Amino acid sequence: MVTIRGVNVYPTAIENVIRQFGSVDEFQVTVTTVHEMHQLEIEIEVLSGNDSEHVRTHVEQAIYHALSLRPTVKVAKQARSPILR
């Protein structure tokens, strides 16, 4: 558990919110400290064929409604799969 802006946040709480989105393949949560305050950043991988900005916005809103936090949510650039010859 970590306290972010006075809110106790459990990793499983974040996971429970993000796993509701079938368009999110994987995610990574990073907690940093800026001026002695914890900041929450979430990086998501959006499955191809989905509007990544739309998914990012919905994940951000869902976390706000569930945890009363406004984390920074970023979409990770997906690695290109190697070309098989």
Side-chain angles (χ1 to χ4, degrees):
M1 182 207 55
V2 64
T3 302
I4 299 176
R5 299 183 182 259
V7 177
N8 293 333
V9 179
Y10 292 88
T12 54
I14 295 171
E15 181 175 16
N16 290 339
V17 173
I18 294 175
R19 293 292 180 205
Q20 295 175 15
F21 295 89
S23 52
V24 175
D25 187 27
E26 288 297 328
F27 69 97
Q28 177 178 328
V29 178
T30 305
V31 177
T32 58
T33 304
V34 178
H35 301 292
E36 298 184 21
M37 291 189 68
H38 293 304
Q39 305 288 328
L40 183 67
E41 181 179 297
I42 301 170
E43 193 169 15
I44 59 174
E45 287 183 7
V46 178
L47 294 171
S48 61
N50 291 289
D51 180 359
S52 58
E53 184 58 26
H54 180 75
V55 173
R56 184 198 68 76
T57 301
H58 279 67
V59 167
E60 199 171 66
Q61 290 172 350
I63 290 174
Y64 175 72
H65 289 296
L67 305 175
S68 299
L69 289 174
R70 291 202 188 273
T72 302
V73 179
K74 297 181 179 179
V75 177
K77 294 187 180 189
Q78 293 191 359
R80 294 184 182 186
S81 57
I83 298 173
L84 300 176
R85 295 179 189 199

